[in-house]
Amino acid sequence: MTHNSENPLFQSPDNNTHQPPTEAQRALELETRLPMTGWQQEVSKGLEYGLEAAQSIRDRTIPTFSRGELPHYAGINTFLKAPYLEDVRQVGNYDVAIVGVPHDSGTTYRPGTRFGPQGIRRISALYTPYNFELGIDLREQITICDVGDIFTIPANNEKSFDQISKGIAHIFSSGAFPIILGGDHSIGFPTVRGVCRHLGDKKVGIIHFDRHVDTQETDLDERMHTCPWFHATNMKNAPAKNLVQLGIGGWQVPRNGVKVCRDRATNILTVTDIVEMGLDAAAEFAIQRATDGTDCVYISFDIDCIDAGFVPGTGWPEPGGLLPREALSLLGKIVQKVPVCGLEVVEVSPPYDISDITSLMATRVICDTMAHLVLSGQLPRKEKPAYIHPESQPELVAWT
């Protein structure tokens, strides 16, 4: 960035010496470089589809019927009020596809995460597509659609898993970047399975933010939300040595799951590990292990990895988790340095939430991830990543 000696932003208070610009000063400069094309197109479409406003309205960008981002409290809530794509066959025409998985039949304690996609979409209306510090405007730099929800089957995990795997495989193979709104964490297995069906002989690493290991084979005699990574790492495309788990700890980590982590040599950092080694070192730990011999990385973000005081709306709250700033910073450091193939945010349970703050945290995780994908040049995609195999193939089991 070029510093202008006549610009007071880049001068010290005594105007005699120059200091490096602050983050805010850099952000002010970055905003000038962003186009307004997407916003202008949205305004024009709103006037065309929603009719011009009444004559008493002086701002002639306002239509009669609410269309687009404004007002934030009105309209139909897709994620960030992105266009709803009814014909999912056209999903490959977009850079990012938001998909809900309203499934909580894998819950072993408090149900309610089936309402997670609704809750996240509702509070996402609070956001604009522009982030000040990062200098990113998602509306101007990528295309986003919301394909709605996968049709899950209440009280039947396995049929729901089959639906989820088929849906994620379709989005993944199209070249659109899949962002999944959960749902309980049992969906981690079928989402990764859907990705693996279009990897051919390529491999995926998994970076898992959570307070719980979720590596049991079964729980209450079924594949529940405590079990996704046992079954995901059963597949040859998702080696257990490339499973990285960040934030694990507390009083809800079952010993039979710990044994699986030990037997399969997965990678775990507790919150204390992350704090003591520092976020940069923790990110490097995750990056090295998730990318060792793999071609892409899938990120599974359980909202309960954040301290329970900040995310009350979740099924298994555990005090002592990451602070929101730590989680967001760690996520950004990772996303900018690995080839990310998908993101899921799970275990948001609106019935237990307070003022939508847990759903808002999930929204922030998703928006930050998209921004870091733009900053790192991963979005928009100029072409499909080489790790996407065009034909669907059955998953190959690695463990017996």
Side-chain angles (χ1 to χ4, degrees):
M1 181 183 301
T2 301
H3 295 186
N4 185 341
S5 61
E6 297 179 358
N7 187 341
L9 287 176
F10 302 120
Q11 296 179 359
S12 63
D14 60 11
N15 290 330
N16 292 324
T17 60
H18 295 276
Q19 300 293 330
T22 64
E23 181 181 50
Q25 290 164 352
R26 289 193 299 270
L28 289 168
E29 174 65 22
L30 287 171
E31 191 277 334
T32 66
R33 306 177 191 178
L34 294 171
M36 294 289 291
T37 307
W39 167 248
Q40 291 162 353
Q41 291 173 344
E42 184 173 296
V43 169
S44 297
K45 185 180 291 185
L47 292 171
E48 179 183 359
Y49 292 174
L51 308 182
E52 290 189 1
Q55 288 302 312
S56 59
I57 305 298
R58 289 181 292 178
D59 183 349
R60 302 311 296 174
T61 65
I62 295 175
T64 297
F65 293 87
S66 177
R67 296 291 183 270
E69 176 191 337
L70 298 175
H72 294 285
Y73 54 80
I76 306 300
N77 284 332
T78 59
F79 186 81
L80 283 186
K81 294 194 175 177
Y84 169 57
L85 184 64
E86 187 171 15
D87 185 355
V88 75
R89 295 170 298 179
Q90 305 302 317
V91 69
N93 295 329
Y94 293 83
D95 296 316
V96 173
I98 308 292
V99 58
V101 182
H103 176 75
D104 63 4
S105 297
T107 302
T108 56
Y109 183 50
R110 301 198 304 196
T113 53
R114 69 178 60 187
F115 301 109
Q118 286 183 358
I120 296 168
R121 287 186 176 111
R122 182 177 63 250
I123 199 61
S124 76
L126 178 67
Y127 271 19
T128 74
Y130 168 63
N131 181 279
F132 176 64
E133 302 100 308
L134 298 177
I136 290 293
D137 190 327
L138 298 173
R139 176 169 45 209
E140 304 298 334
Q141 293 168 284
I142 58 175
T143 57
I144 307 170
C145 71
D146 191 323
V147 301
D149 292 341
I150 288 174
F151 197 134
T152 57
I153 311 301
N156 193 312
N157 282 341
E158 297 305 322
K159 287 183 179 180
S160 293
F161 291 171
D162 290 343
Q163 287 280 88
I164 295 165
S165 292
K166 183 175 181 180
I168 299 308
H170 173 77
I171 295 170
F172 178 76
S173 64
S174 77
F177 183 88
I179 294 181
I180 298 102
L181 314 179
D184 69 52
H185 218 156
S186 69
I187 74 170
F189 161 58
T191 54
V192 172
R193 183 172 65 176
V195 168
C196 288
R197 286 178 180 174
H198 284 278
L199 286 180
D201 61 355
K202 307 297 184 182
K203 290 183 170 55
V204 60
I206 301 168
I207 295 181
H208 167 220
F209 288 77
D210 208 329
R211 293 292 277 149
H212 316 104
V213 290
D214 294 348
T215 49
Q216 296 172 237
E217 182 174 6
T218 60
D219 193 349
L220 307 178
D221 207 40
E222 297 287 344
R223 298 200 280 193
M224 305 295 275
H225 68 161
T226 52
C227 308
W229 309 127
F230 179 94
H231 302 284
T233 60
N234 251 2
M235 297 182 289
K236 289 186 177 179
N237 294 105
K241 74 181 183 69
N242 300 117
L243 172 62
V244 182
Q245 301 180 281
L246 303 174
I248 307 302
W251 295 91
Q252 301 165 357
V253 183
R255 292 181 62 184
N256 52 351
V258 172
K259 182 178 185 301
V260 171
C261 294
R262 186 169 56 246
D263 291 345
R264 295 191 178 183
T266 65
N267 308 278
I268 296 176
L269 291 181
T270 66
V271 172
T272 300
D273 288 331
I274 293 169
V275 171
E276 291 186 349
M277 70 195 306
L279 296 178
D280 288 333
E284 191 59 31
F285 174 95
I287 291 166
Q288 287 182 355
R289 284 156 178 79
T291 61
D292 181 16
T294 63
D295 302 275
C296 57
V297 171
Y298 185 82
I299 296 178
S300 181
F301 195 101
D302 188 323
I303 206 70
D304 70 32
C305 74
I306 295 171
D307 187 272
F310 297 96
V311 289
T314 188
W316 280 94
E318 174 60 42
L322 294 165
L323 298 177
R325 284 195 302 269
E326 294 170 337
L328 292 172
S329 178
L330 184 56
L331 177 69
K333 291 175 186 296
I334 291 170
V335 170
Q336 288 212 28
K337 293 184 179 180
V338 300
V340 186
C341 66
L343 166 73
E344 66 185 13
V345 181
V346 300
E347 295 292 350
V348 173
S349 186
Y352 291 94
D353 210 357
I354 300 170
S355 301
D356 294 315
I357 60 174
T358 308
S359 294
L360 183 61
M361 189 69 228
T363 300
R364 181 63 190 265
V365 167
I366 293 165
C367 290
D368 276 27
T369 297
M370 288 191 285
H372 289 298
L373 289 171
V374 172
L375 287 170
S376 60
Q378 298 185 64
L379 289 178
R381 288 171 168 172
K382 298 179 177 63
E383 57 186 6
K384 286 187 185 181
Y387 53 73
I388 298 179
H389 194 279
E391 298 178 4
S392 179
Q393 300 175 325
E395 59 274 9
L396 301 174
V397 177
W399 297 81
T400 58

